[in-house]
């Protein structure tokens, strides 16, 4: 009987120990889950615009710091036409017309994609726009309409067809076939930034994220509650921060969704009631005037979303929707009469928040 009693006591002790261990494990597992779902957010400045970063994961502060460093390096060393150490700056200042200039694979691929968009849009997205952009100076705060003679002179230095990109056994070269030309990736730069951020997120411990670089956004993974990220689209005729509508996006299973918005309200001035904005038509030399005041494009690539949203303003509604559809992308376009045109694939994710606008059927 005594041995039986001891055995029962031993069994009871083992059971209690196992319960304690199980409880501790539950706490640890639950704690890990809680840490993984921690939200980290920060607002800063990068690539010449406002940067908003929200990430979910166990090391969010570190992730945010690394994202900021990544974007700073992208601008400073790679794609800025302003920064003297950047690859684009060196290309612009060192190229010899007609001679191959070696560039990185990344820059070559950016230019190849922009050239494809240039061809498909009839020349409207042009990475050689810099001479015209400099003349207008809208991004730098100038508020005067250049003379038509000056515009026509600068148009001679804007022509993407004079840029060739080649691959020679893994080495990439750009040939610029005219003097006084200059590469400017501003129309796709924020989208490129989103692509770089996505590459980083895929290798990180981040479980969900929403990062906006000015008008370009990447949504990644899931929120802990599995709710969609709610992205506001600015009222193009309202005050800064005023929302016209909301798009709900969720990138499940660690995929990403890219969204870019362009419009005539970002950088502009008015003369005699006419608005002159920063999206310049490289064929006419003047700001786009095709009736679209805001264009949002949603797709699976940042550069494309950025470039297509710019093109939508340049092309006008019908041509823009045709081109956007050819890339399998979705769009929300707003015209000057405050009509909203939404493609079928995103219509159920859009919520109108301003009664001054109406969704066109």
């Amino acid at each position: 009987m005594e041995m039986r009693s001891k055995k029962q006591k031993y069994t009871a002790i083992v059971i209690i120990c196992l319960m304690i261990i199980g409880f501790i494990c539950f706490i640890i597992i639950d704690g890990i889950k809680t840490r993984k779902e921690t939200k980290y957010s920060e607002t800063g400045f990068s690539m010449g615009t406002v940067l908003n970063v929200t990430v979910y994961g166990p090391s969010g502060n570190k992730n945010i710091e690394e994202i900021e460093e990544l974007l700073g390096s992208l601008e400073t060393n790679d794609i800025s036409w302003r920064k003297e150490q950047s690859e684009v700056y060196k290309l612009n200042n060192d190229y010899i017309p007609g001679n191959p200039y070696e560039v990185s694979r990344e820059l070559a691929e950016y230019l190849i994609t922009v050239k494809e968009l240039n061809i498909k849009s009839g020349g409207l997205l042009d990475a050689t726009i810099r001479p015209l952009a400099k003349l207008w100076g809208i991004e730098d705060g100038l508020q005067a309409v250049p003379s038509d003679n000056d515009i026509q002179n600068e148009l001679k230095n804007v022509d993407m067809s004079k840029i060739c990109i080649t691959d020679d056994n893994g080495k990439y070269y750009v040939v610029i076939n005219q003097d006084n030309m200059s590469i400017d990736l501003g129309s796709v730069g924020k989208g490129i930034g989103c692509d770089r951020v996505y590459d980083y997120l895929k290798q990180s411990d981040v479980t969900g994220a929403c990062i906006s670089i000015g008008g370009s956004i990447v949504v990644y993974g899931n929120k802990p509650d599995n709710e969609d990220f709610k992205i506001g689209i600015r009222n193009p005729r309202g005050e800064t921060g005023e929302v016209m509508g909301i798009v709900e996006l969720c990138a499940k299973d660690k995929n990403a969704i890219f969204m870019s918005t362009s419009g005539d309200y970002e950088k502009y001035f008015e003369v005699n009631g006419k608005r002159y904005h920063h999206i310049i038509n490289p064929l006419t030399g003047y700001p786009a005037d095709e009736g679209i005041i805001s264009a949002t494009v949603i797709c699976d690539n940042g550069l494309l979303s950025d470039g297509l949203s710019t093109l939508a303003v340049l092309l006008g509604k019908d041509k823009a929707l045709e081109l956007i559809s050819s890339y399998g992308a979705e769009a929300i376009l707003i015209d000057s009469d405050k009509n909203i045109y939404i493609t079928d694939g995103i219509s159920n994710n859009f919520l109108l928040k301003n009664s001054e606008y109406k969704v066109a059927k």
Side-chain angles (χ1 to χ4, degrees):
M1 291 290 292
E2 186 177 346
M3 288 185 64
R4 187 175 181 181
S5 176
K6 285 182 179 180
K7 187 175 181 180
Q8 287 176 336
K9 286 181 180 180
Y10 175 75
T11 303
I13 291 170
V14 171
I15 291 172
I16 291 170
C17 288
L18 288 172
M19 290 176 66
I20 292 171
I21 291 169
F23 180 66
I24 291 171
C25 288
F26 171 76
I27 293 172
I28 292 171
I29 292 169
D30 186 64
I32 291 171
K33 183 180 178 182
T34 301
R35 288 198 301 274
K36 283 185 178 178
E37 293 181 348
T38 300
K39 176 182 178 181
Y40 298 85
S41 294
E42 187 170 306
T43 298
F45 191 80
S46 185
M47 301 186 73
T49 189
V50 176
L51 171 68
N52 288 296
V53 182
T54 295
V55 297
Y56 295 88
S59 50
N61 287 330
K62 176 175 175 286
N63 297 137
I64 290 173
E65 182 179 334
E66 290 175 347
I67 288 169
E68 290 173 343
E69 289 176 354
L70 180 155
L71 292 174
S73 176
L74 172 65
E75 179 185 23
T76 302
N77 299 317
D78 299 337
I79 66 173
S80 173
W81 59 267
R82 297 177 185 266
K83 307 284 187 179
E84 292 186 8
Q85 62 267 50
S86 84
E87 187 175 14
V88 167
Y89 182 96
K90 291 174 182 176
L91 169 62
N92 287 340
N93 287 274
D94 296 343
Y95 84 89
I96 298 172
N99 288 4
Y101 186 98
E102 187 172 356
V103 298
S104 66
R105 176 181 59 82
E106 289 81 6
L107 179 55
E109 289 178 348
Y110 300 151
L111 290 171
I112 288 169
T113 303
V114 172
K115 184 149 188 171
E116 177 186 284
L117 287 167
N118 174 270
I119 293 170
K120 288 188 174 183
S121 65
L124 287 176
L125 192 74
D126 198 314
T128 66
I129 194 71
R130 173 75 347 230
L132 275 172
K134 181 180 179 182
L135 176 66
W136 279 89
I138 296 174
E139 294 177 338
D140 297 318
L142 296 184
Q143 298 192 10
V145 179
S147 71
D148 187 66
N149 184 60
D150 287 343
I151 290 172
Q152 297 307 315
N153 284 334
E154 292 302 344
L155 274 171
K156 299 172 184 176
N157 300 317
V158 178
D159 186 352
M160 191 73 181
S161 69
K162 294 179 180 177
I163 307 294
C164 299
I165 307 99
T166 60
D167 175 0
D168 183 7
N169 294 321
K171 288 189 174 183
Y172 297 86
Y173 298 90
V174 171
V175 179
I176 302 177
N177 289 302
Q178 180 178 310
D179 201 3
N180 298 318
M181 299 190 80
S182 186
I183 299 294
D184 181 351
L185 292 173
S187 61
V188 295
K190 310 305 185 293
I192 291 172
C194 288
D195 286 328
R196 287 284 186 94
V197 169
Y198 175 46
D199 289 339
Y200 165 82
L201 292 172
K202 288 187 293 185
Q203 306 301 320
S204 74
D205 57 2
V206 171
T207 59
C210 181
I211 292 95
S212 68
I213 310 168
S216 289
I217 295 168
V218 55
V219 170
Y220 171 82
N222 299 299
K223 292 175 71 174
D225 55 10
N226 287 319
E227 287 190 2
D228 293 348
F229 287 94
K230 294 178 173 60
I231 313 296
I233 296 178
R234 179 177 164 179
N235 177 357
R237 290 297 179 262
E239 299 295 325
T240 301
E242 187 178 331
V243 173
M244 177 280 302
I246 292 174
V247 181
E248 296 183 344
L249 299 176
C250 183
K252 295 180 179 179
D253 302 322
K254 290 207 169 184
N255 291 321
I257 298 174
F258 298 87
M259 171 175 151
S260 293
T261 300
S262 301
D264 69 356
Y265 56 86
E266 297 170 1
K267 299 167 187 174
Y268 72 95
F269 65 91
E270 292 186 356
V271 174
N272 298 325
K274 182 173 177 61
R275 181 176 298 229
Y276 296 89
H277 56 89
H278 74 293
I279 302 177
I280 308 296
N281 185 320
L283 303 180
T284 67
Y286 287 86
D289 188 19
E290 296 297 325
I292 295 298
I293 62 175
S294 173
T296 297
V297 173
I298 300 161
C299 64
D300 59 2
N301 179 274
L303 189 159
L304 284 176
S305 70
D306 204 359
L308 288 170
S309 68
T310 301
L311 274 174
V313 178
L314 288 160
L315 284 166
K317 176 178 74 73
D318 293 338
K319 291 180 180 179
L321 290 174
E322 183 179 351
L323 180 62
I324 290 165
S325 175
S326 73
Y327 279 94
E330 304 295 340
I332 301 168
L333 309 182
I334 306 173
D335 69 17
S336 54
D337 293 323
K338 298 186 177 181
N339 297 306
I340 305 170
Y341 303 90
I342 308 175
T343 55
D344 292 340
I346 200 66
S347 59
N348 291 334
N349 298 71
F350 176 77
L351 179 64
L352 182 62
K353 302 294 287 185
N354 189 312
S355 60
E356 294 180 5
Y357 295 82
K358 57 182 179 294
V359 177
K361 302 299 182 183

